[in-house]
Amino acid sequence: MVPQVRIQWRGADGYVSCAIMKSRLPLVSLRFELSMIHIRQLSKCDFQAAIAIKEACWKSDYKDIVPLEAFSTSKEIGVFADWFLNPGNDFRLLFGAFFEERLVGFIGAGTAEIEDSTNGVEVNSLFVESEFRRKGIGTLLIKTALEPFHELGYEEVVVYNWHDVPSNRFYRHIGGTLFRKVVQYPAGKALPVDIFRWDLARMQELLTSICKRRHLTE
């Protein structure tokens, strides 16, 4: 029997679920990813846990790059809630990865700004606790979040990412094309930001290909 991860997202017409099949993974990864990690949409009660993960990643991954004082827990919770609860005409989704009842990673995606793409989705947030990385959780979160947008006819993916942080290499690794650069000023410090763009269908194909290669080499 082929093991599966079942994911669920809430669309305008109710819940739609699908199974992502995984095979040729080592036994330890199968037990961890397929039996112990559950992917579901986030609700308001998960916001505080999500911001705690973001803060921990900010302190570790952005250390000595992005000023820590630029992060405010209370402000982040307000921005996070407003982004999700007041989408306007945008389509927005938040998914979380849970280990038992503990949130260990999350992703936020929504309709991209028109200047970045006329028919695109922007991945606004992607954070996974350090001890749960290199397990395929981030990849699974991306594939899960983008699938509803793909089904709705979105064609491109956009990501804003600090140029000097570790995740910048990840987005380049999964085929991100550097679309343009901007400078942002967190806590008054000038920091370059890379804006990556992908063809959505090709990105999904590439992620699948990366997973297959990874499985073959493990």
Side-chain angles (χ1 to χ4, degrees):
M1 179 178 178
V2 179
Q4 300 178 337
V5 173
R6 181 158 291 280
I7 61 174
Q8 192 174 60
W9 63 279
R10 186 173 64 249
D13 299 324
Y15 281 94
V16 178
S17 63
C18 64
I20 297 178
M21 295 185 178
K22 298 263 187 158
S23 61
R24 303 191 65 171
L25 286 169
L27 184 59
V28 172
S29 294
L30 281 173
R31 288 176 176 171
F32 185 89
E33 291 186 38
L34 304 179
S35 301
M36 304 170 73
I37 296 297
H38 172 62
I39 306 291
R40 68 163 172 81
Q41 276 191 270
L42 297 186
S43 62
K44 288 193 295 184
C45 64
D46 300 310
F47 287 178
Q48 190 167 355
I51 295 304
I53 292 175
K54 182 175 179 178
E55 182 176 11
C57 293
W58 191 289
K59 290 179 177 179
S60 60
D61 298 351
Y62 299 171
K63 183 179 180 181
D64 300 325
I65 301 173
V66 184
L68 180 59
E69 57 267 30
F71 188 95
S72 166
T73 301
S74 59
K75 181 180 179 180
E76 285 289 333
I77 290 177
V79 171
F80 198 75
D82 184 66
W83 179 88
F84 182 64
L85 298 175
N86 301 295
N89 294 323
D90 293 349
F91 180 54
R92 296 174 180 174
L93 292 173
L94 285 169
F95 284 95
F98 290 81
F99 172 67
E100 297 178 344
E101 298 300 317
R102 171 185 170 188
L103 181 67
V104 298
F106 73 93
I107 186 171
T111 305
E113 296 293 335
I114 194 70
E115 61 265 28
D116 294 325
S117 176
T118 57
N119 190 24
V121 49
E122 179 181 345
V123 175
N124 304 92
S125 301
L126 176 60
F127 295 97
V128 177
E129 287 189 3
S130 57
E131 64 187 281
F132 287 87
R133 294 177 187 174
R134 305 185 69 82
K135 308 291 186 183
I137 294 175
T139 299
L140 183 57
L141 282 169
I142 295 174
K143 288 172 66 66
T144 301
L146 294 183
E147 185 61 32
F149 291 90
H150 192 195
E151 293 179 3
L152 290 172
Y154 285 73
E155 298 176 342
E156 293 182 316
V157 181
V158 175
V159 171
Y160 280 64
N161 191 246
W162 305 111
H163 177 77
D164 296 315
V165 299
S167 56
N168 196 276
R169 295 190 295 272
F170 169 73
Y171 290 118
R172 294 176 185 273
H173 174 65
I174 61 173
T177 299
L178 185 58
F179 168 52
R180 61 189 177 96
K181 294 185 177 184
V182 298
V183 177
Q184 295 180 349
Y185 297 86
K189 181 179 179 180
L191 290 176
V193 177
D194 294 335
I195 304 175
F196 295 104
R197 197 160 62 179
W198 294 257
D199 175 88
L200 176 52
R202 290 181 180 177
M203 185 182 191
Q204 293 289 65
E205 291 175 359
L206 179 61
L207 289 173
T208 300
S209 177
I210 289 173
C211 289
K212 288 181 178 179
R213 291 200 304 270
R214 178 184 173 188
H215 299 167
L216 288 171
T217 57
E218 286 182 335

